[in-house]
Amino acid sequence: MSNLPFKMKPAASYVATFLNDADSGIDVPTRAKQRELIQEEASRLGYGIVNQFEDELASSKLGTRRGFAAMIASARDEGCNFEAIIVSSLDRFSQLAAEQVIHVSQLEAYGIKLIRVA
């Protein structure tokens, strides 16, 4: 049972920075800014954050993303305490399009919705 205010839906957040962010040519929000954007979106949509997963300066390779692996494992667990995962943008969830498709499909199979802020 979560400690969320009445009628709030439980969600997890995922925040990531990658080693190649500086070379990507896009303006990547800091982890603190990602958390802020996610919290704002969660509140707007009626979600409360019950789990937070993070990866700092990760490689885009899955084996180096412990926070991501823990998030997927939690989503797969029958006792999962969240119904959605909120990310600041899809490239924070995964930088590889094929990987995005695979993991979004997995989450849908587990009954978990992926919500992106931008």
Side-chain angles (χ1 to χ4, degrees):
M1 199 87 178
S2 69
N3 294 325
L4 292 175
F6 183 65
K7 294 204 179 200
M8 289 195 88
K9 302 171 281 191
S13 65
Y14 179 66
V15 170
T17 56
F18 295 99
L19 290 171
N20 64 347
D21 280 345
D23 300 328
S24 69
I26 60 171
D27 187 22
V28 177
T30 64
R31 287 181 305 132
K33 183 62 176 177
Q34 290 178 55
R35 283 190 292 274
E36 179 185 324
L37 293 168
I38 289 167
Q39 185 56 57
E40 289 171 1
E41 186 73 355
S43 295
R44 187 180 76 74
L45 297 174
Y47 285 94
I49 303 298
V50 296
N51 284 54
Q52 296 180 341
F53 301 95
E54 290 196 24
D55 285 307
E56 180 179 17
L57 297 177
S59 165
S60 59
K61 296 177 182 174
L62 270 182
T64 65
R65 297 172 57 201
R66 292 186 177 145
F68 187 89
M71 176 184 67
I72 296 297
S74 291
R76 181 177 40 237
D77 185 10
E78 286 184 28
C80 181
N81 67 342
F82 53 87
E83 59 185 59
I85 295 170
I86 305 175
V87 297
S88 62
S89 64
L90 203 49
D91 71 331
R92 299 298 91 194
F93 180 73
S94 175
Q95 293 186 317
L96 306 171
E99 190 178 276
Q100 288 174 5
V101 171
I102 291 166
H103 291 295
V104 168
S105 295
Q106 283 179 327
L107 292 174
E108 288 173 351
Y110 305 146
I112 307 293
K113 179 188 221 179
L114 181 66
I115 299 169
R116 61 185 174 96
V117 175

